[in-house]
Amino acid sequence: MGLLTPDFGLFFWTLLAFLLVLFVLGKFAWKPILNSLSERENSIAESLATAEKARQEMASLKSENEALLQKAREERSLMLKEAKDNAEKLISDAQSKAKSEYERIVADAQAAITQQKQAALTDVKNQVGNLVIEVAEKVLRKQLSNKGEQETLIQDLVDNVKLN
């Protein structure tokens, strides 16, 4: 039963060893341990503050990004609208140019047709004049004395002449 009830001497030396260890730990170990715990606590607090600040900055950046994204969408819509308006204007300009070109070509063609018609009429008039001169020349050469023969000859010449 000696193990369950210790001696006074064992108790004294154990207490003395404990107090000595407590004194040595208090003198040399407690301050560094408490300092390191304090530093760790400060470090954790700073990390939490930094994390909170980073979270707030992220939230701020997210809202800024959303605002920029919205602005970019609006600018894209505006650019698309401007591009569509420009395309419609180009198409309209091209159509008006094509119409004016068409009208100019038609006017030139009509002028050319009129000119060719006038040239053809002048040519026909010249040919008719030449035929009249030839008929008159033939009539004068024959010097027909009979009026009936002259009319018959003129009628034969007119029948032989074909105007197209």
Side-chain angles (χ1 to χ4, degrees):
M1 223 37 172
L3 290 176
L4 292 177
T5 58
D7 261 357
F8 178 76
L10 180 64
F11 181 74
F12 173 75
W13 289 113
T14 305
L15 183 62
L16 183 65
F18 177 75
L19 290 175
L20 181 65
V21 168
L22 186 64
F23 174 75
V24 170
L25 285 176
K27 184 82 170 168
F28 298 107
W30 286 114
K31 286 183 182 180
I33 290 173
L34 289 177
N35 285 339
S36 67
L37 286 176
S38 176
E39 287 176 9
R40 180 164 170 95
E41 182 181 344
N42 290 338
S43 172
I44 290 172
E46 287 176 7
S47 295
L48 289 174
T50 305
E52 180 63 25
K53 185 177 179 182
R55 187 188 63 78
Q56 289 174 352
E57 286 179 10
M58 289 298 291
S60 173
L61 288 175
K62 184 178 178 183
S63 65
E64 287 178 14
N65 285 343
E66 288 176 4
L68 287 175
L69 188 59
Q70 181 63 28
K71 184 177 178 181
R73 285 181 184 142
E74 291 172 2
E75 288 178 4
R76 182 192 68 190
S77 298
L78 181 64
M79 290 172 72
L80 287 175
K81 183 181 181 288
E82 288 176 359
K84 184 179 178 184
D85 291 345
N86 287 341
E88 289 175 359
K89 183 180 177 190
L90 287 174
I91 289 171
S92 175
D93 289 347
Q95 286 176 342
S96 64
K97 284 182 182 179
K99 185 177 180 182
S100 65
E101 184 68 17
Y102 166 77
E103 290 172 355
R104 186 190 62 79
I105 290 171
V106 168
D108 289 349
Q110 287 177 344
I113 289 170
T114 303
Q115 185 181 10
Q116 289 176 357
K117 181 180 174 184
Q118 292 297 327
L121 285 175
T122 304
D123 190 37
V124 167
K125 286 180 184 178
N126 288 339
Q127 287 179 0
V128 168
N130 288 338
L131 287 175
V132 168
I133 291 173
E134 286 180 23
V135 169
E137 185 180 333
K138 287 183 182 180
V139 168
L140 288 176
R141 281 195 186 155
K142 257 194 165 193
Q143 293 183 1
L144 296 174
S145 58
N146 188 348
K147 194 171 189 176
E149 288 180 3
Q150 285 179 1
E151 288 179 7
T152 307
L153 180 61
I154 290 172
Q155 189 61 39
D156 287 340
L157 290 174
V158 169
D159 289 340
N160 287 336
V161 173
K162 295 181 182 178
L163 294 176
N164 288 335

